[in-house]
Each structure stands twice: as structure tokens, then as C-alpha cells.
Amino acid sequence: MTDRLLTVAEAAEQLGTGERFIRRLIAERRIRYVKLGRPVRVPESAVTEYIEARTVEPTRRTRTRTRTRTRYGRAA
């Protein structure tokens, strides 16, 4: 099965960014791309991988007991 090749504009739309950001990712080789002569295309799976690699999962913080003292002594 072949992967759909996106234009820079389509890849930017999927990421919700501008074309300039996608072109910078390509120039810095931070995302996979295909060069077809002069035009550049980004595989759809590369955009998905980029999103998955940079997704930060939330952590559950436990509540700490609040202090009853103020800076100068006990709270009134």
C-alpha cells in the first residue's frame, strides 16, 4: 500500500501551521520528505509520526497537603 504524498500546504494544514514551518522542518531534516525534482512532498505517515513523537501525555499529580503556616507564623 502506498502512502499519500502531501504538498507542503497540505502538510501545514494537517499540523495547523504555516508552510514556512514545514519548509523549515524539511530544511533541518526533522521530518521525512520526498523530492520529485524541484517539488517536495511529505508522506502522510511522516506527518503522523511527527505528531506522535511530539505528543506529551498528561501526568496525574497528587495533591500535596497545604501548609497552615504563613510567612510570619500560624494562620489566624
Side-chain angles (χ1 to χ4, degrees):
M1 186 170 154
T2 59
D3 200 7
R4 182 168 170 242
L5 296 177
L6 305 173
T7 64
V8 172
E10 291 171 334
E13 186 177 329
Q14 274 200 348
L15 286 177
T17 64
E19 291 181 33
R20 186 174 180 177
F21 178 71
I22 301 298
R23 292 192 185 282
R24 190 172 75 210
L25 290 177
I26 291 168
E28 295 172 356
R29 300 196 182 211
R30 293 170 47 197
I31 194 168
R32 286 187 298 117
Y33 66 94
V34 178
K35 190 137 172 75
L36 305 169
R38 187 160 190 229
V40 175
R41 300 290 185 260
V42 179
E44 197 167 22
S45 63
V47 175
T48 304
E49 290 169 9
Y50 183 82
I51 292 170
E52 288 173 358
R54 282 147 185 84
T55 300
V56 179
E57 296 297 328
T59 58
R60 184 170 172 98
R61 276 183 40 179
T62 58
R63 291 182 67 168
T64 57
R65 187 176 168 133
T66 57
R67 297 181 66 168
T68 56
R69 290 183 180 248
T70 62
R71 183 175 178 180
Y72 299 107
R74 285 189 121 340

